[in-house]
């Protein structure tokens, strides 16, 4: 009776391929058994055990280059080495999760240009029933704000989050959206601007501009690029914005003039 397994049988018992067994041999992780009288290498229980140990550690993420020393280590050093492997795996997992998040944001187009908090506000807009065009416009405005007035971006975001938590304000903004199809001289725009300015002024503290922004020689230009973005596509929206700014200036707010 021939004792021992062929390389194919050993590989199958250990749950790896023959190619993998040979690779382990080349790396010195598993010694090659002696050949029998027929010239075949015969794998005994010791080789199978070693194959299973190597396969298990490799499957757990231990680099092959470290497995040999690890298997020959005493229990204390073995445990310490595994802790180190776990730490590195955790770091790698966190890195992969971060990369996956970037891929998801890339799939959402320009959202890669915004922080998670701003993306959450945009998602909230969609949940509240705002049209895809309106959400896209707000996304563009946020991107412009972050690039052109980074010192104001956080307060701008706080203001948006606060507004999205106010059902009356949300309904009013939806009416403003509907008004974009009106004639720019429609008198109802005055009423809308009045209602909108009253709501905005109710939280006046959210409207303050930091001194850093005020000190910019081109502050008005930057403000205009953001606040009047795409107005040329909706004359009624431009008129509504003009009326709103006039109301806010009348209330004492220092709104930049372009």
């Amino acid at each position: 009776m021939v004792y021992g397994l062929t390389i194919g049988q050993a590989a199958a018992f250990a749950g790896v391929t023959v190619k993998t067994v040979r690779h382990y041999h080349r790396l010195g992780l598993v010694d090659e058994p002696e050949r029998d009288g027929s010239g075949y290498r015969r794998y005994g229980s010791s080789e199978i055990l070693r194959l299973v140990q190597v396969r298990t550690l490799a499957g757990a993420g231990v680099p092959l280059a470290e497995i040999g020393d690890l298997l020959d280590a005493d229990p204390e050093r073995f445990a310490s080495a595994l802790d180190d492997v776990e730490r590195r795996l955790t770091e790698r997992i966190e890195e992969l999760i971060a990369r996956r998040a970037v891929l998801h944001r890339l799939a959402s187009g320009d959202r890669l240009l915004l922080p998670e908090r701003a993306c959450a506000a945009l998602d909230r807009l969609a949940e509240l029933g705002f049209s895809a065009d309106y959400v896209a416009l707000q996304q563009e405005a946020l991107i412009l704000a972050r690039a052109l007035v980074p010192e104001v971006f956080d307060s701008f975001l706080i203001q948006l989050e606060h507004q999205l938590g106010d059902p009356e304000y949300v309904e009013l903004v939806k009416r403003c959206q509907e008004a974009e199809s009106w004639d720019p001289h429609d008198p109802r725009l005055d009423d809308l601007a009045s209602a909108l300015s009253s709501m905005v002024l109710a939280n006046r503290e959210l409207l303050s501009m930091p001194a850093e922004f005020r000190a910019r020689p081109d502050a008005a230009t930057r403000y205009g690029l953001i606040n009047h973005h795409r107005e040329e596509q909706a004359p009624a929206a431009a008129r509504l914005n003009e009326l709103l700014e006039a109301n806010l200036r009348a209330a004492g707010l220092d709104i930049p003039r372009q």
Side-chain angles (χ1 to χ4, degrees), residues 29-65:
L29 296 174
V30 180
D31 292 334
E32 290 187 85
E34 296 294 330
R35 295 183 185 276
D36 62 15
S38 303
Y40 291 102
R41 296 191 185 281
R42 293 291 174 180
Y43 290 75
S45 58
S46 296
E47 286 81 20
I48 299 298
L49 172 63
R50 185 77 173 188
L51 279 172
V52 170
Q53 290 173 322
V54 173
R55 183 212 65 192
T56 302
L57 289 172
V62 179
L64 290 177

Side-chain angles (χ1 to χ4, degrees), residues 110 133 154 162 165 207 226:
D110 285 343
D133 285 345
D154 281 347
H162 179 82
L207 303 175
I226 300 165

Side-chain angles (χ1 to χ4, degrees), residues 5 59 133 192 231:
L5 306 174
D133 285 345
L192 265 183
E231 272 189 352

Side-chain angles (χ1 to χ4, degrees), residues 176-205:
C176 293
Q177 262 196 284
E178 296 169 5
E180 290 183 4
S181 60
W182 298 352
D183 185 280
H185 302 293
D186 191 315
R188 292 177 294 175
L189 289 174
D190 293 270
D191 296 333
L192 265 183
S194 178
L196 197 56
S197 55
S198 294
M199 280 204 172
V200 170
L201 289 168
N203 297 284
R204 202 182 183 103
E205 69 281 2

